[in-house]
């Protein structure tokens, strides 16, 4: 496995264990050349998936590309790598089970949006804004509306202040 920092090919596995849901093996690796540390995941691939783009073109499904777009959305957000990995696994498993092997790109976008919504609101809006391109203002309003509809524990608000000079009725 090539070191993502220096490109060295001679990285070593320091630790190897299954993830919490036992769907992947997580390996911590170290690069003896630069001392860089990184993590890789080994997982099952049930079948080959083909992505069908809007123009009708097909391309092999690229999990890494999906991971990269999710990571861009999650930039500087503190979400554990394992939760991200589990979310991606869930998306891929759904793609594998719901299709005959051909996936429209929109389907991937929808599943990722669903997954991100459960992980991190900010990442969700970021991803959705790129994915949906906010062609229409109401897309944005719909997304914000969806977020607001989520029940979240909020601190009790102060009661609105009463105007003292209000005329007595
Ligand atoms: Zn290195």
């Amino acid at each position: 496995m090539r070191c993502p920092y220096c490109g060295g090919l001679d990285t070593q596995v320091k630790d190897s264990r299954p993830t919490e849901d036992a769907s992947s093996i997580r390996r911590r690796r170290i690069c003896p050349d630069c001392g860089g540390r990184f993590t890789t995941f080994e997982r099952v691939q049930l079948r080959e998936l083909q992505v069908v783009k809007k123009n009708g073109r097909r391309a092999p499904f690229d999990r890494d590309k999906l991971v990269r777009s999710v990571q861009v959305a999650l930039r500087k957000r503190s979400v554990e790598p394992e939760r991200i990995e589990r979310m991606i696994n869930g998306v891929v498993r759904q793609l594998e089970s719901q299709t005959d092997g051909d996936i429209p790109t929109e389907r991937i976008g929808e599943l990722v949006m669903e997954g991100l919504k459960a992980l991190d609101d900010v990442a969700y809006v970021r991803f959705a804004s790129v994915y949906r391109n906010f062609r229409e203002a109401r897309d944005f309003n719909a997304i914000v509306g969806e977020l607001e509809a989520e029940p979240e524990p909020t601190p009790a608000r102060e009661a609105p202040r009463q105007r003292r000079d209000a005329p007595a009725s």
Side-chain angles (χ1 to χ4, degrees), residues 43-62:
R43 64 188 76 79
V44 174
Q45 181 173 353
L46 288 179
R47 57 203 287 195
E48 293 291 333
L49 297 171
Q50 292 282 320
V51 177
V52 184
K53 297 178 184 171
K54 274 182 189 153
N55 61 12
R57 276 215 164 145
R58 282 151 188 270
F61 172 68
D62 183 347

Side-chain angles (χ1 to χ4, degrees), residues 34 48 54 80 100 110 114 144 166:
C34 72
E48 293 291 333
K54 274 182 189 153
E80 291 160 43
D100 56 2
E110 282 161 18
E114 243 171 66
V144 173

Side-chain angles (χ1 to χ4, degrees), residues 141-155:
N141 292 334
I143 287 169
V144 173
E146 281 170 38
L147 289 180
E148 282 170 351
E150 305 254 311
E152 267 183 32
T154 46

